[in-house]
Amino acid sequence: DQQVKQNSPSLSVQEGRISILNCDYTNSMFDYFLWYKKYPAEGPTFLISISSIKDKNEDGRFTVFLNKSAKHLSLHIVPSQPGDSAVYFCAASGYQTGANNLFFGTGTRLTVIP
Amino acid sequence: DTAVSQTPKYLVTQMGNDKSIKCEQNLGHDTMYWYKQDSKKFLKIMFSYNNKELIINETVPNRFSPKSPDKAHLNLHINSLELGDSAVYFCASKRQTNTEAFFGQGTRLTVV
């Protein structure tokens, strides 16, 4: 039973434009959400996070939006750069979901076209 | 210095063998994890462990067992390897609730 879902396996965006990656979750006990970036043959690296008490968190070119009522979050990258090409994983956790576990989506492969 | 390191990076072995993957973190974290990324690229948690409790994902076969000699290490032992165990295994650690986890580079296990 997948509690975190990323329904778009891939996304292609022109350099300089906005990339929007989406994520949905089903467990209302999740209260902390993260985005990870993964290059081939490397482990996922943390990108940005948001607590459920916020609806937006911004860090440079990256902004995460959280819509709790819809159980939906999104990652915006603007402007997109070729170096952003990677697989992006959405993850969620919550104290009450047990032992600080992180539940991951299946990832979205972003390709930024120069 | 690598924060979370796992060895080996690649492991090719025959069915039926027993193998171990080592993981070490130098971040002072008290919780460590093993994740499996299967052919569908889904990152699925296998175990989480801190100095208080081991949480096992009930779908993980008991051929898989974590061993933690100390807080900085969580090794993964796999007995009687099967073809379906072929995957990339990631070790991770984190400090506490609602913080990010740091991942190792992964171990690509191929069972032939």
Side-chain angles (χ1 to χ4, degrees):
Chain A
D1 181 26
Q2 200 172 329
Q3 300 184 62
V4 180
K5 301 178 182 180
Q6 294 174 256
N7 293 319
S8 298
S10 63
L11 174 68
S12 292
V13 172
Q14 207 72 31
E15 180 179 5
R17 307 294 284 267
I18 185 170
S19 296
I20 300 176
L21 296 98
N22 294 303
C23 177
D24 298 292
Y25 61 95
T26 57
N27 191 334
S28 58
M29 302 302 285
F30 289 146
D31 57 12
Y32 190 67
F33 304 89
L34 309 91
W35 284 94
Y36 280 80
K37 179 178 179 179
K38 185 181 181 304
Y39 292 117
E42 294 183 12
T45 54
F46 170 73
L47 191 58
I48 192 170
S49 63
I50 188 167
S51 166
S52 61
I53 62 174
K54 295 185 176 180
D55 54 18
K56 177 183 174 181
N57 188 27
E58 189 173 350
D59 183 2
R61 296 184 298 113
F62 302 91
T63 303
V64 56
F65 295 91
L66 175 63
N67 183 334
K68 291 186 290 294
S69 60
K71 293 192 180 68
H72 176 85
L73 64 155
S74 60
L75 174 68
H76 293 212
I77 307 173
V78 57
S80 301
Q81 299 174 354
D84 296 330
S85 296
V87 177
Y88 289 79
F89 288 95
C90 172
S93 73
Y95 182 76
Q96 295 195 45
T97 62
N100 306 327
N101 287 347
L102 274 180
F103 296 89
F104 283 83
T106 49
T108 297
R109 180 177 300 278
L110 173 66
T111 303
V112 180
I113 304 164
Chain B
D1 284 345
T2 304
V4 181
S5 60
Q6 42 182 122
T7 54
K9 187 170 184 179
Y10 300 97
L11 179 57
V12 181
T13 187
Q14 289 188 324
M15 283 176 55
N17 284 350
D18 302 338
K19 290 292 179 185
S20 295
I21 306 172
K22 295 184 177 181
C23 179
E24 175 182 7
Q25 55 95 3
N26 62 6
L27 298 166
H29 291 167
D30 56 12
T31 303
M32 297 183 72
Y33 307 83
W34 277 103
Y35 282 84
K36 177 181 180 181
Q37 186 178 33
D38 58 23
S39 57
K40 296 181 180 179
K41 307 302 181 186
F42 180 38
L43 269 169
K44 186 173 183 179
I45 190 165
M46 302 177 68
F47 306 100
S48 65
Y49 182 81
N50 63 20
N51 55 4
K52 297 178 182 177
E53 62 181 341
L54 170 68
I55 303 294
I56 301 173
N57 185 325
E58 61 186 13
T59 66
V60 175
N62 58 15
R63 297 181 295 103
F64 291 78
S65 58
K67 303 278 191 234
S68 180
D70 54 57
K71 283 178 61 175
H73 296 83
L74 184 66
N75 303 324
L76 182 64
H77 295 263
I78 316 169
N79 295 325
S80 303
L81 277 155
E82 300 177 357
L83 293 176
D85 297 333
S86 296
V88 182
Y89 293 83
F90 289 99
C91 176
S93 71
K94 72 196 294 278
R95 182 162 42 93
Q96 60 187 13
T97 307
N98 290 359
T99 59
E100 67 270 24
F102 292 80
F103 282 79
Q105 63 183 5
T107 297
R108 180 174 293 279
L109 170 66
T110 303
V111 182
V112 297

